[in-house]
């Protein structure tokens, strides 16, 4: 009901005044049109990011959630199949997913990662301002290569790296934030990383009657952005049965860490992960495996990338977006320190970690 310029909503025996985002959501539900469903006039299919389409096709094929013949079509046909076009125009959701700078559509459409010490002590940070597909493809590797330290142990002379946070749990939580974020609010997804905690936050509008406690119970899939959720499902990034939280908890249990804590403050939802104490690297006694080597942050990222999987210099450039000169200097230094070794010829060879 509208009364003297105010809007009031009654559900059962309770009444509340609708303001701000709640009012906007109510009106959009009544019209059947979400913010992400609105079409744009100034961006066409040819303006979208080719690499994002390449990544999506690769992951959709790998996940077996789309058939090869459904992917071997033009970008425009693919967007129509994914319900990302209306009346020949791109939806805002298509721009968020496949345009290389979605902030042109809405400020704040990006991901911020920060490494914090005590309190507000921000030590270093990254801002990933690319399509959601590009972000999904690289954000987890960036977190684990640059922001986290693995505790090194040996089992029968076999090197074992244990991170203090379950990778599958962090991956699922980040992807959930990307899918359910309310982009029209213009607030970036934020990933705060501390030595003993990771906090992932995004803007949200919960389904009616939901609370923070609902997430840890069995619940149906109810994505805020259905089109974005569909694309992430097809790419194998998320499930579509409301099992995401269950998978997060299972991954934490498997690692042996505490279950995450969900917190809702206004339009912001935060998920708090506590580190596995036994996997923490003591900066005083048990030194970082790279300490004493005088490596820059970029050299550490490149070393971590090579440790994960042997790669060529061009693959390092593509993955990190560093310049050719930066990568060449880094691999030269890492090689001189006997941390990596080259296999194969100069043209076709690759870098791998030393024993």
């Amino acid at each position: 009901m509208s009364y003297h310029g105010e809007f009031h909503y009654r559900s059962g025996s309770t009444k509340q005044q609708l303001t701000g985002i709640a009012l906007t959501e109510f009106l959009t539900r009544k019209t059947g049109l979400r913010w992400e469903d609105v079409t744009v006039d100034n961006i066409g299919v040819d303006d979208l990011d080719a690499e994002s389409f390449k990544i999506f096709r690769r992951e959709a094929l790998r996940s077996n959630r789309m058939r090869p013949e459904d992917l071997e079509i033009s970008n425009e046909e693919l967007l129509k199949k994914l319900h990302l076009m209306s009346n020949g125009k791109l939806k805002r959701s298509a721009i968020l997913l496949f345009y290389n700078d979605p902030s042109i559509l809405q400020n704040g459409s990006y991901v911020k990662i920060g490494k914090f010490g005590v309190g507000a002590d921000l030590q270093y940070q990254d801002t990933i301002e690319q399509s959601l597909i590009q972000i999904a493809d690289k954000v987890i590797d960036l977190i684990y290569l640059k922001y986290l330290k693995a505790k090194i142990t040996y089992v029968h002379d076999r090197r074992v790296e244990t991170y203090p946070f379950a990778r599958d749990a962090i991956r699922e939580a980040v992807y959930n934030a990307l899918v359910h974020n309310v982009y029209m609010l213009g607030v970036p997804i934020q990933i705060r990383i501390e030595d003993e905690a990771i906090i992932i936050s995004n803007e949200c509008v919960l389904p009616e009657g939901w609370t923070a406690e609902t997430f840890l119970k069995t619940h149906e899939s109810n994505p805020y952005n259905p089109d974005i959720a569909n694309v992430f499902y097809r790419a194998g990034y998320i499930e579509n049965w409301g099992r995401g939280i269950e998978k997060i908890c299972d991954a934490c249990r498997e690692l042996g860490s505490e279950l995450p804590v969900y917190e809702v403050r206004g339009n912001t939802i935060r998920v708090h992960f506590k580190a596995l104490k036994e996997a923490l690297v003591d900066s005083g006694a048990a030194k970082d495996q790279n300490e004493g080597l005088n490596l820059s942050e970029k050299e550490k990222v490149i070393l971590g990338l090579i440790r994960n999987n042997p790669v060529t210099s061009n693959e390092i450039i593509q993955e990190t977006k560093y310049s050719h000169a930066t990568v060449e200097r880094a691999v030269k230094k890492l090689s001189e320190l006997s941390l990596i070794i080259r296999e194969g010829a100069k043209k076709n060879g690759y870098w791998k970690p030393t024993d």
Side-chain angles (χ1 to χ4, degrees):
M1 296 184 66
S2 173
Y3 179 73
H4 288 290
E6 296 179 348
F7 293 86
H8 299 265
Y9 176 74
R10 185 177 185 87
S11 178
S13 60
T14 63
K15 179 187 74 67
Q16 62 177 341
Q17 182 180 348
L18 295 179
T19 60
I21 183 63
L23 176 59
T24 302
E25 276 299 297
F26 178 80
L27 295 175
T28 54
R29 282 201 305 269
K30 287 299 182 183
T31 62
L33 190 66
R34 296 175 179 268
W35 180 88
E36 289 79 4
D37 293 330
V38 176
T39 58
V40 296
D41 295 319
N42 58 335
I43 300 176
V45 176
D46 292 339
D47 298 316
L48 300 182
D49 179 47
E51 183 64 22
S52 297
F53 282 106
K54 179 180 177 182
I55 292 169
F56 174 77
R57 285 185 168 94
R58 181 192 73 206
E59 297 303 317
L61 188 62
R62 180 183 298 172
S63 69
N64 291 320
R65 289 178 178 172
M66 291 188 75
R67 298 175 301 177
E69 56 267 31
D70 292 331
L71 295 168
E72 295 169 356
I73 54 180
S74 70
N75 290 342
E76 183 170 350
E77 291 174 310
L78 180 60
L79 292 169
K80 290 177 180 177
K81 186 179 289 289
L82 295 171
H83 310 296
L84 297 175
M85 296 188 72
S86 178
N87 298 322
K89 295 181 180 181
L90 296 173
K91 293 182 180 180
R92 285 172 172 164
S93 52
I95 308 302
L96 293 169
L97 285 160
F98 290 101
Y99 192 65
N100 205 33
D101 183 16
S103 289
I104 195 174
L105 181 70
Q106 174 63 50
N107 288 333
S109 300
Y110 58 88
V111 172
K112 288 173 59 177
I113 308 174
K115 179 66 171 70
F116 287 81
V118 178
D121 175 27
L122 176 61
Q123 298 173 347
Y124 52 90
Q125 63 180 327
D126 281 283
T127 299
I128 311 178
E129 298 180 279
Q130 292 179 293
S131 70
L132 296 188
I133 293 294
Q134 288 259 29
I135 291 173
D137 187 57
K138 66 181 57 175
V139 64
I140 305 303
D141 283 340
L142 178 60
I143 290 171
Y144 277 81
L145 291 174
K146 182 174 180 179
Y147 286 84
L148 299 179
K149 298 175 183 178
K151 187 168 185 178
I152 308 301
T153 56
Y154 290 87
V155 178
H156 302 300
D157 295 328
R158 180 172 61 87
R159 176 187 172 105
V160 177
E161 295 186 356
T162 304
Y163 284 95
F165 303 95
R167 185 183 179 103
D168 286 347
I170 300 300
R171 177 181 185 271
E172 190 74 27
V174 171
Y175 288 172
N176 281 350
L178 290 170
V179 166
H180 296 289
N181 189 51
V182 183
Y183 289 96
M184 69 176 175
L185 294 182
V187 180
I189 294 166
Q190 300 179 47
I191 304 172
R192 179 188 175 103
I193 300 176
E194 304 169 359
D195 288 340
E196 298 189 15
I198 291 181
I199 303 169
I200 301 167
S201 63
N202 66 278
E203 299 305 291
C204 73
V205 174
L206 297 182
E208 187 174 341
W210 283 36
T211 65
E213 289 72 29
T214 306
F215 291 102
L216 295 177
K217 301 176 182 177
T218 301
H219 59 271
E220 70 278 7
S221 176
N222 195 342
Y224 176 76
N225 300 310
D227 289 340
I228 295 176
N230 178 53
V231 171
F232 268 56
Y233 170 74
R234 299 292 180 183
Y237 292 147
I238 63 170
E239 300 291 338
N240 69 344
W241 291 98
R243 293 184 56 246
I245 310 300
E246 182 182 343
K247 290 178 64 178
I248 290 173
C249 293
D250 287 345
C252 291
R253 291 190 188 98
E254 185 176 349
L255 180 66
S257 61
E258 296 183 30
L259 297 185
V261 174
Y262 284 83
E263 173 192 20
V264 177
R265 291 186 181 179
N267 295 322
T268 302
I269 183 167
R270 295 185 178 93
V271 54
H272 298 249
F273 291 92
K274 287 188 177 180
L276 177 67
K277 296 288 188 181
E278 302 91 291
L280 289 173
V281 177
D282 186 346
S283 58
K287 300 295 185 181
D288 176 7
Q289 60 262 40
N290 297 328
E291 189 170 348
L293 299 175
N294 194 28
L295 299 181
S296 68
E297 287 301 327
K298 290 183 177 180
E299 288 163 350
K300 290 179 182 179
V301 170
I302 291 172
L303 177 58
L305 189 63
I306 295 171
R307 277 177 173 161
N308 272 2
N309 192 39
V311 289
T312 66
S313 293
N314 286 337
E315 288 171 336
I316 296 173
I317 293 170
Q318 183 178 3
E319 181 70 25
T320 62
K321 306 304 181 185
Y322 298 157
S323 69
H324 182 272
T326 296
V327 171
E328 287 301 307
R329 284 195 301 269
V331 296
K332 182 175 184 294
K333 178 177 177 179
L334 296 174
S335 178
E336 290 173 349
L337 290 171
S338 298
L339 295 171
I340 62 174
I341 189 172
R342 188 170 183 81
E343 287 285 340
K346 183 175 182 180
K347 184 176 181 181
N348 301 316
Y350 57 88
W351 294 100
K352 72 173 188 178
T354 58
D355 292 337

